Amino acid sequence: MEEEENLDQSACTAHHRAIRDTMDVLSGKWKIRIIGSLAFGKKRFMELKGNVEGIAAKMLSKELQELELHGLVNRTVLATKPITVEYELTEYGHSLKPIIDEMASWGMLHRERVKNQ
Amino acid sequence: MEEEENLDQSACTAHHRAIRDTMDVLSGKWKIRIIGSLAFGKKRFMELKGNVEGIAAKMLSKELQELELHGLVNRTVLATKPITVEYELTEYGHSLKPIIDEMASWGMLHRERVKNQ
DNA sequence: CGGCATCCAATTCGATACTG
DNA sequence: CAGTATCGAATTGGATGCCG
């Protein structure tokens, strides 16, 4: 009984720690939405800016840098004229897809619910 | 072909809107962690404060009020002496569990990954 | 086009003290 | 115990202008 409680305890602690770790990587108002947009394929800076409604260039730039640092996003500069920059999810970035998808489907559920009350 | 593109377009828009809706409800640094803690069962104010490491009473209080407004959390006052207040997820709050669980398992994956590099 | 620099406003967050 | 009040710090966000 006591052992079971200890197991519960540590499983619970690990759970909380894991959630906190995830939140640290996805912190802020924009990262999840940026990833959600990139989940549909590679995008250029201005495409992303149009896609993630409401974001300012400064923020988009900053958030993309953080995502790159965490290894979730790849940045590629193409030598066009003028230059083009493409962003895409890394393989690791794609591993976030289950979270994104769950959020998307909950959001739809929520919208239905709010509408019907 | 054009029709398919339009379908893709609107599916994509709905996807982004849904993610944004979810983010609006779960906005801020703490809500997900509070819900993650309540997912293990009802808790009192001070238990939550101990569980969600680092949160100040003011924040916890404010976040709980917002979660209650959104119908995700129930607040019950018990007429003990001194009073006790219990918080628990509503049924609707429990519908967030898939998101929380995905975040928890991604967080564990991420911790492994960071450790091994 | 992509994105940095600057300046400024708004919001969030935290520590401390206090109340019923 | 379960909060509220207050203050101040920190973070975030937005507008504009500039550069390669």
Side-chain angles (χ1 to χ4, degrees):
Chain A
M1 203 120 312
E2 208 173 291
E3 270 181 39
E4 259 186 40
E5 264 183 34
N6 287 338
L7 279 177
D8 282 2
Q9 191 77 21
S10 65
C12 171
T13 305
H15 195 263
H16 293 154
R17 194 185 56 190
I19 290 176
R20 190 226 272 249
D21 289 346
T22 303
M23 296 298 290
D24 284 348
V25 174
L26 300 179
S27 64
K29 190 176 168 182
W30 303 108
K31 293 203 187 64
I32 292 182
R33 289 174 60 190
I34 294 170
I35 294 169
S37 179
L38 288 176
F40 284 94
K42 62 175 62 166
K43 297 236 162 35
R44 294 183 325 189
F45 189 86
M46 289 309 276
E47 284 182 299
L48 272 174
K49 183 155 159 25
N51 230 196
V52 180
E53 207 177 326
I55 197 171
K58 188 182 85 172
M59 274 301 124
L60 181 54
S61 167
K62 206 191 69 182
E63 301 286 78
L64 283 169
Q65 281 173 28
E66 290 182 30
L67 291 173
E68 212 190 336
L69 265 177
H70 282 290
L72 299 169
V73 164
N74 260 336
R75 179 177 183 274
T76 315
V77 181
L78 305 174
T80 52
K81 176 186 69 154
I83 64 163
T84 310
V85 182
E86 277 181 351
Y87 292 91
E88 64 183 326
L89 291 184
T90 61
E91 200 179 323
Y92 194 48
H94 277 292
S95 71
L96 286 166
K97 214 169 171 280
I99 298 178
I100 305 289
D101 286 346
E102 287 295 345
M103 286 197 162
S105 46
W106 192 87
M108 291 178 195
L109 183 76
H110 181 63
R111 180 166 283 264
E112 280 307 305
R113 186 177 191 266
V114 169
K115 194 167 61 185
N116 300 330
Q117 71 184 6
Chain B
M1 201 118 317
E2 209 172 291
E3 269 180 41
E4 259 185 41
E5 265 183 34
N6 287 338
L7 280 176
D8 282 2
Q9 190 78 20
S10 64
C12 172
T13 306
H15 195 263
H16 293 153
R17 194 186 55 191
I19 290 176
R20 190 227 272 250
D21 289 345
T22 303
M23 296 298 290
D24 285 348
V25 173
L26 300 180
S27 64
K29 191 175 168 182
W30 303 108
K31 293 204 187 64
I32 291 182
R33 289 176 59 190
I34 293 170
I35 294 169
S37 178
L38 288 177
F40 285 94
K42 61 175 63 167
K43 297 234 161 39
R44 295 183 324 191
F45 189 87
M46 288 310 276
E47 284 182 299
L48 272 174
K49 185 155 157 24
N51 230 198
V52 179
E53 207 177 325
I55 197 170
K58 188 183 86 172
M59 274 299 124
L60 181 54
S61 167
K62 206 192 68 183
E63 301 285 78
L64 283 170
Q65 282 172 29
E66 290 181 30
L67 291 173
E68 213 190 336
L69 264 177
H70 282 290
L72 298 169
V73 164
N74 260 335
R75 178 177 183 273
T76 314
V77 181
L78 304 174
T80 52
K81 177 185 70 157
I83 64 164
T84 310
V85 182
E86 278 181 351
Y87 292 91
E88 64 183 325
L89 290 186
T90 61
E91 201 180 319
Y92 193 48
H94 276 292
S95 72
L96 286 166
K97 212 167 173 283
I99 298 178
I100 305 290
D101 286 346
E102 286 296 344
M103 284 195 164
S105 46
W106 192 87
M108 292 178 194
L109 182 78
H110 181 63
R111 181 166 283 264
E112 280 307 306
R113 186 177 192 265
V114 169
K115 195 167 62 184
N116 299 331
Q117 73 184 2

